[in-house]
Amino acid sequence: MRLRIKEWTLNLSSKDNIVIPYKYIAETLLTKRGEDIPDIIILNEYVPQNNSCKKLKKLFEDKGYSSFYQGENTINQTIMLVREELKPSQVNEPVKIDPLKGEIFNIWPYIVHVQIALKGTIYNVIGCRIRIGQTINYWKETISDKLKQEIEQKNREEAKARKQQFDIILNYISSLKLENIIMVGDFNNYRDNTPVADWNLNVIDQAIQGKLIRETPKDSGSWSACYNAEEKSIFTSKLGWKSQSVYYFRLDHLFISPEMSPMIRDKSYDWEFALQEITNESPNCVLDKNNNIQIKQGFPDHAIFAVTIETE
């Protein structure tokens, strides 16, 4: 059996009860030509109290998905949707932790842990998101060296908090002695060439120390603030800093038990939803005065991270 997983970040803040295009989101995830529907869908920045999110959840449930997330609250979090025929079961309250406290943050990771049994083998599927606090970007401004140092120090504290969240996730996995782990999520890591290098892919790989294998597409980024309409290829062929105002990172990753790594058949960032012909009438993007494409608020601003695993 091939297990198909899709993960997407909704670009939704818990502070805003904005209307999200729930029908568009569902259709984009379910109706790509030539593909079977996904077995598991992981949505980050999902807000349970948002009316549009409630409609999105019901739409998937009407299509035969069971939904799992951590309680009814107003904070944006992670929801996992699993096809009912897989008979999923949630591991109750997987994370009971106190918020990480510091001068500029009070945050903790989101984890949803669901088990499915295929041919007598139990698979532990984990959806998660490393939360961000108050990272400050100074590249667009001319500022003093003193202020730049202060900003870098605060960003290092923020990076340390992200690393602490990841350690909590790893400790959770170790404490339950889990096997057959499939963990997919948005880890909000920095790039290695940013001034703050305390939370990047090298740090992540050192933290897992071979207990898990990180699998990340290498041919594109999974998040971008904006891109130029004449250079659509940046989503498919370029990585790193393009300019001071256009940047893109690989933030969405698969972590898998080492013995399962050979079972991966595909992992890719899918930007097809954003690479259509863009006009000011487009459903998910608008053109600004510089011909840059900006994702509309409430529309996902990450690529869809698609993973296929051969379980037998």
Side-chain angles (χ1 to χ4, degrees):
M1 175 181 176
R2 289 197 169 187
L3 193 64
R4 294 172 175 84
I5 303 170
K6 289 188 176 182
E7 180 255 350
W8 210 5
T9 297
L10 295 182
N11 187 24
L12 184 61
S13 170
S14 58
K15 297 179 181 179
D16 304 309
N17 193 26
I18 64 175
V19 176
I20 66 169
Y22 63 93
K23 292 182 180 179
Y24 167 85
I25 291 169
E27 289 173 359
T28 302
L29 288 166
L30 295 177
T31 60
K32 186 173 180 180
R33 184 177 300 175
E35 279 191 354
D36 292 334
I37 65 171
D39 301 292
I40 299 171
I41 295 171
I42 297 167
L43 298 176
N44 281 305
E45 296 187 13
Y46 172 88
V47 181
Q49 295 299 324
N50 180 286
N51 289 330
S52 297
C53 284
K54 291 178 181 179
K55 292 177 181 179
L56 178 64
K57 174 174 169 286
K58 185 178 186 305
L59 192 154
F60 277 111
E61 290 173 345
D62 290 344
K63 291 182 178 294
Y65 286 84
S66 298
S67 59
F68 305 93
Y69 57 99
Q70 293 302 305
E72 295 282 349
N73 60 54
T74 58
I75 301 175
N76 57 353
Q77 55 178 286
T78 300
I79 185 172
M80 189 184 302
L81 303 145
V82 185
R83 287 198 299 121
E84 291 176 352
E85 52 261 47
L86 295 178
K87 298 181 179 179
S89 61
Q90 184 168 9
V91 179
N92 291 326
E93 298 296 334
V95 180
K96 291 184 178 180
I97 57 174
D98 294 326
L100 302 171
K101 297 186 182 298
E103 293 182 0
I104 62 170
F105 47 77
N106 187 0
I107 54 179
W108 58 97
Y110 293 132
I111 304 176
V112 178
H113 178 189
V114 172
Q115 291 183 333
I116 58 175
L118 302 174
K119 299 286 187 177
T121 300
I122 295 177
Y123 294 92
N124 290 283
V125 184
I126 298 173
C128 59
R129 177 173 180 259
I130 298 294
R131 297 181 63 204
I132 59 177
Q134 299 180 13
T135 303
I136 304 171
N137 188 344
Y138 57 76
W139 285 279
K140 298 179 183 179
E141 303 177 27
T142 301
I143 60 175
S144 67
D145 289 340
K146 180 180 179 181
L147 181 56
K148 182 180 292 187
Q149 291 175 359
E150 292 176 358
I151 290 174
E152 288 184 1
Q153 178 58 35
K154 289 183 178 180
N155 285 349
R156 287 192 178 93
E157 293 176 15
E158 164 67 21
K160 181 179 179 181
R162 299 188 197 192
K163 172 61 166 55
Q164 288 175 323
Q165 292 179 70
F166 190 64
D167 288 341
I168 287 170
I169 296 173
L170 295 181
N171 290 338
Y172 166 69
I173 292 172
S174 297
S175 68
L176 294 186
K177 299 180 180 179
L178 298 179
E179 298 179 346
N180 300 319
I181 298 166
I182 304 169
M183 181 167 68
V184 183
D186 173 8
F187 292 86
N188 275 309
N189 50 274
Y190 297 97
R191 283 186 51 78
D192 293 347
N193 61 349
T194 58
V196 181
D198 301 76
W199 178 235
N200 56 39
L201 295 183
N202 290 334
V203 174
I204 290 174
D205 291 339
Q206 291 171 9
I208 59 179
Q209 295 180 343
K211 297 176 183 177
L212 296 170
I213 301 295
R214 176 178 61 83
E215 296 283 354
T216 305
K218 297 180 179 180
D219 60 348
S220 72
S222 70
W223 175 81
S224 176
C226 61
Y227 64 104
N228 190 278
E230 297 176 356
E231 299 189 32
K232 294 181 181 180
S233 62
I234 70 167
F235 279 147
T236 56
S237 63
K238 298 181 182 179
L239 284 172
W241 293 94
K242 177 178 180 295
S243 71
Q244 290 186 332
S245 61
V246 182
Y247 46 95
Y248 27 93
F249 296 70
R250 291 179 291 164
L251 303 182
D252 301 81
H253 310 284
L254 163 68
F255 292 86
I256 195 165
S257 296
E259 65 274 12
M260 292 185 62
S261 184
M263 300 162 64
I264 299 171
R265 293 295 173 265
D266 178 64
K267 58 180 186 294
S268 60
Y269 295 140
D270 180 3
W271 280 109
E272 185 174 318
F273 75 97
L275 292 179
Q276 57 189 294
E277 182 179 356
I278 303 297
T279 70
N280 282 323
E281 302 301 320
S282 298
N284 60 332
C285 305
V286 294
L287 293 174
D288 65 18
K289 62 181 181 180
N290 296 317
N291 206 33
N292 285 331
I293 295 169
Q294 303 284 354
I295 304 293
K296 294 179 181 178
Q297 186 180 19
F299 283 80
D301 58 351
H302 284 231
I304 298 171
F305 184 27
V307 175
T308 302
I309 298 171
E310 193 80 57
T311 59
E312 60 181 45

